[in-house]
Amino acid sequence: MPAWLVLLAWSALLTFNATVLIAFDGGTLPVALLGGAAAATAVLAVVLAALRTAGARDAAPGLSPPTALAAIGAAGLVLGAELGTWLVLISAGLLAVALAGLAHEARRP
Amino acid sequence: MGAREGRHALSSAALAPGGVIGLVGSTDHKRIAVRAAVTAAAFFAAGGVLALVMRAELAQPGLQVVSTGAYNALFTMHGSTMIYLFVTPFALALGLYFVPLQAGAPQIAGPRWALAGWWLYLLGGLVMYAGFLTRGGAAAATWAGFDPLSDAVNTPGQGMDYWIFGVVLATAGELIWGACLLATLLRRRAPGITLLRLPVFSWAMLVTSLMVLFAFPVLIAAMALLWVERQWGGVFTAPDGPVAYQHLFWFYGHPVVYVMFFPFVGAVAEAVAIFSGRRFFGYHAMVGSLLLFTSLSMSVWAHHMFAIDEVAVKYFSLTSIALVVPAGVEYFDMAATMWGGVIRFATPMLFALGFLIQFLVGGLTGIFVGSSVLDYHVNNSYFVVAHFHYTLFGGSFFGLLCAVYLWWPKVTGTLLREGIGRVHFALSVLGANLTFFPMFFLGRDGMTRRVADYPAAEHWGTLNAVASAGAALIALSLVVFVVNVAVSLARPRPAGDDPWGGHSLEWATTSPPPPRNFVALPPVRSPDPLYDLLERQAALEGRP
């Protein structure tokens, strides 16, 4: 069974459920939510079907401190909306350093 | 393997290589999973303490332990911890560890992303708990953050904002894990391992990942909108605004119940087959039922909203009741797997049976709350609390412990003690039923949930005292589990590669597995490659 078929089958089940919801006069937002999930699954199925070759193997190193730093920086950026510009600036700096580290990791053989 | 080597094996799973840097920056899926599970266990301990304080308050009428305001924060943070920070991440952590192994893959897809996911989840949990340090205290608007209860007027203070950001970060981490798991299962299987040669646990993780991928983003969007509402207003202020928020929230809030269920169904299915000494019965029906079950579980969310009268009640009642069809298939498959098998009642199997029986209580009482007519009576009562604790504690948590006892030897290379495990199981069953069964009667008699006190004239004191005693018993059972872990680590007994006679690929490698998981893979022609080998060997030796 090809992988995309699983997604397509799941999308079809969601589409059926969304269609029945329309028949029951389910309202705009509920239909949009369920229909949106069905459509998004179908799109993913199509993308997967288009990717005919096997997935490329990740060349990630065993240790990636820049990844940890990037996650901390991204979380800080989000939290900065609540706690203030100071955190946004610090987090942006951390994220920049982390991205440089990730670029360095990618260049290593 | 001696005691010293056993300890070395454990520490190598958790710490090496690279010491502290390895602890925070390793991209090995197994180490990320162990970190996630340990983090989830720490949050579980915190959430459990909150529950014990709540039960101490409710043990008798009157306010003895906390104020009503503090109680609101307690039940909000207890629910939030268990759902966002414990069961969901633990369920996904199981997948992070075992999906690549069962798929014969050397690594998870997107290992850096998986590592980033753990950091986001950890930081999310810490931010959520940081609410306790704010002037107004932690969030107190339920784990669902209902608007307008959660708006800036009704829940002022930064604690609620921290909760929103905590939910966003933790959910983003879990979303990333779901994407990594789905990509691994769809794109990184070893050659020859077709989808229909994956074990039931991997299929359970596949459908779980689908729900994570398509339901969790809606929660993140809802939280962003809620934060904007709290800062500037105008988002949910229209007359149907609160209903819109509930649709957004429950579109996540019901599927997440199944995200906290299916990974453990998968683990229980593995345990049932292994400890019955048989292949899993009705594999293809199980796969079909998982797809049907999860598609339905995406379509039932508004049964949480029956009492507000602004939803398509008939539709959501229909889809909710329809869940019994795939659930019935799964129960039938499990029972048929055991039928005629030579059952070994080892601790993982005991917890699997506990899961199956107690979840049935949760599932059957789900028919009550899935029926709109009955739901009007029990809505917002302790009946609902009893129902979902039978599904999440009696069900999922027992499934979680089944998974822990089943796979502990693979992860650590050591065996947990069977005798202590049986005591743990007995206390867990007793504690769970003493705590949650009385709540059905309290709910039927009209005791409202989310209250710190109740009138003495209602005579609910005895049932509440029994429930509180049960909660203490649950705490004791967990102490027994910790003792089991401590004893097993202090005096390790080597597990070997396959202590149970497992069927799937994770049992074909060392315990714990090496960095790239396998030295060589056995031939895979079914979901049970190791069982195939046993059968072939038996045939060669002329055994039945």
Side-chain angles (χ1 to χ4, degrees), chain A residues 1-7 9-14 16-22 24-27 29-42 44 47-48 50-83 101-102 105-106, chain B residues 17-18 21-28 31 106-113 115-117 119-120 123 127 158 161-162 165-166 168-169 182 185-191 194-196 203 206-207 210-211 213-214 218 227 231 243-245 247-248 251 287-288 290-292 294-296 298-299 301 311-312 314-316 318-319 516:
Chain A
M1 178 165 51
W4 58 265
L5 194 58
V6 176
L7 296 184
W10 206 65
S11 171
L13 288 166
L14 292 184
F16 174 78
N17 292 346
T19 308
V20 177
L21 180 57
I22 293 169
F24 275 83
D25 195 17
L29 182 57
V31 170
L33 287 168
L34 195 50
T41 313
L44 194 60
V47 169
L48 202 63
L51 298 171
R52 288 177 184 279
T53 56
R57 299 286 177 249
D58 287 294
L63 290 174
S64 182
T67 300
L69 201 60
I72 294 167
L77 275 181
V78 174
L79 273 173
E82 173 73 19
L83 295 178
L102 286 171
E105 268 182 11
Chain B
I21 299 294
L23 196 64
V24 300
S26 171
T27 57
D28 181 1
R31 299 188 67 198
Q107 178 58 296
I108 198 163
R112 284 192 183 93
W113 283 103
L115 171 62
W119 274 101
L120 292 178
L123 293 170
V127 168
Q158 275 195 304
D161 291 331
Y162 284 15
F165 281 95
V168 167
L169 292 175
L182 190 65
L185 284 162
L186 297 183
R187 302 271 296 159
R188 299 296 164 83
R189 300 183 312 277
T194 61
L195 281 173
L196 288 175
W203 266 102
L206 194 156
V207 294
L210 286 174
M211 289 189 294
L213 215 55
F214 297 108
V218 177
W227 184 75
Q231 305 304 312
V243 176
Y245 175 80
H247 274 300
L248 293 175
F251 191 75
V287 168
L290 286 171
L291 287 167
L292 180 62
T294 44
S295 75
L296 278 171
M298 292 284 289
S299 315
W301 76 90
V311 295
K314 287 178 184 168
Y315 171 84
F316 287 105
L318 176 70
T319 50
R516 303 285 289 177

Side-chain angles (χ1 to χ4, degrees), chain B residues 112-425:
Chain B
R112 284 192 183 93
W113 283 103
L115 171 62
W118 175 69
W119 274 101
L120 292 178
Y121 153 60
L122 171 68
L123 293 170
L126 293 176
V127 168
M128 199 186 285
Y129 267 82
F132 279 111
L133 306 175
T134 62
R135 185 169 296 170
T142 81
W143 77 277
F146 292 120
D147 180 85
L149 178 63
S150 58
D151 68 18
V153 176
N154 295 303
T155 310
Q158 275 195 304
M160 188 70 213
D161 291 331
Y162 284 15
W163 179 87
I164 291 171
F165 281 95
V167 171
V168 167
L169 292 175
T171 305
E174 291 156 12
L175 177 60
I176 289 170
W177 287 342
C180 292
L181 289 171
L182 190 65
T184 305
L185 284 162
L186 297 183
R187 302 271 296 159
R188 299 296 164 83
R189 300 183 312 277
I193 303 182
T194 61
L195 281 173
L196 288 175
R197 289 177 182 171
L198 285 173
V200 172
F201 174 76
S202 283
W203 266 102
M205 289 311 308
L206 194 156
V207 294
T208 298
S209 304
L210 286 174
M211 289 189 294
V212 169
L213 215 55
F214 297 108
F216 282 30
V218 177
L219 178 72
I220 294 174
M223 288 298 118
L225 291 171
L226 185 59
W227 184 75
V228 172
E229 168 72 33
R230 283 176 58 81
Q231 305 304 312
W232 299 288
V235 180
F236 297 118
T237 43
D240 60 350
V243 176
Y245 175 80
Q246 286 208 33
H247 274 300
L248 293 175
F249 179 81
W250 288 118
F251 191 75
Y252 155 88
H254 199 81
V256 77
V257 172
Y258 292 95
V259 169
M260 295 186 287
F261 171 63
F262 283 112
F264 306 122
V265 169
V268 165
E270 302 279 331
V272 163
I274 290 170
F275 292 101
S276 300
R278 300 187 63 196
R279 288 179 198 276
F280 190 77
F281 179 88
Y283 172 82
H284 292 93
M286 183 76 172
V287 168
S289 79
L290 286 171
L291 287 167
L292 180 62
F293 207 145
T294 44
S295 75
L296 278 171
S297 72
M298 292 284 289
S299 315
V300 300
W301 76 90
H303 69 213
H304 294 270
M305 303 161 65
F306 279 160
I308 61 172
D309 280 339
E310 290 195 37
V311 295
V313 169
K314 287 178 184 168
Y315 171 84
F316 287 105
S317 196
L318 176 70
T319 50
S320 301
I321 301 300
L323 287 170
V324 300
V325 176
V329 170
E330 288 164 21
Y331 264 84
F332 178 79
D333 281 354
M334 301 262 194
T337 302
M338 286 184 271
W339 191 266
V342 182
I343 298 175
R344 289 175 288 156
F345 290 100
T347 311
M349 185 63 170
L350 292 177
F351 276 104
L353 293 171
F355 167 92
L356 288 171
I357 293 167
Q358 291 177 153
F359 186 82
L360 195 59
V361 177
L364 291 176
T365 51
I367 297 173
F368 284 62
V369 289
S371 158
S372 57
V373 181
L374 294 171
D375 189 60
Y376 276 103
H377 176 62
V378 296
N379 183 260
N380 210 32
S381 77
Y382 259 84
F383 189 94
V384 179
V385 180
H387 156 68
F388 71 70
H389 278 92
Y390 262 96
T391 60
L392 284 183
F393 192 91
S396 294
F397 189 64
F398 272 64
L400 184 154
L401 290 171
C402 164
V404 168
Y405 276 96
L406 176 68
W407 281 315
W408 179 273
K410 179 52 59 184
V411 175
T412 66
T414 65
L415 290 167
L416 288 167
R417 299 292 192 272
E418 271 293 302
I420 306 177
R422 286 164 196 270
V423 174
H424 176 202
F425 171 73

Side-chain angles (χ1 to χ4, degrees), chain B residues 514-529:
Chain B
R516 303 285 289 177
N517 291 343
F518 297 95
V519 177
L521 282 173
V524 180
R525 297 192 182 87
S526 80
D528 311 301

Side-chain angles (χ1 to χ4, degrees), chain B residues 395-489:
Chain B
S396 294
F397 189 64
F398 272 64
L400 184 154
L401 290 171
C402 164
V404 168
Y405 276 96
L406 176 68
W407 281 315
W408 179 273
K410 179 52 59 184
V411 175
T412 66
T414 65
L415 290 167
L416 288 167
R417 299 292 192 272
E418 271 293 302
I420 306 177
R422 286 164 196 270
V423 174
H424 176 202
F425 171 73
L427 287 174
S428 300
V429 170
L430 211 57
N433 288 286
L434 269 182
T435 307
F436 302 119
F437 204 74
M439 293 180 185
F440 284 122
F441 299 105
L442 289 168
R444 185 203 59 188
D445 292 347
M447 181 168 167
T448 312
R449 63 173 168 167
R450 295 169 180 152
V451 290
D453 192 15
Y454 48 89
E458 295 284 0
H459 303 295
W460 291 333
T462 306
L463 286 173
N464 270 300
V466 170
S468 297
L473 213 52
I474 291 172
L476 180 64
S477 76
L478 292 165
V479 171
V480 171
F481 175 64
V482 171
V483 168
N484 198 352
V485 169
V487 168
S488 303
L489 294 182

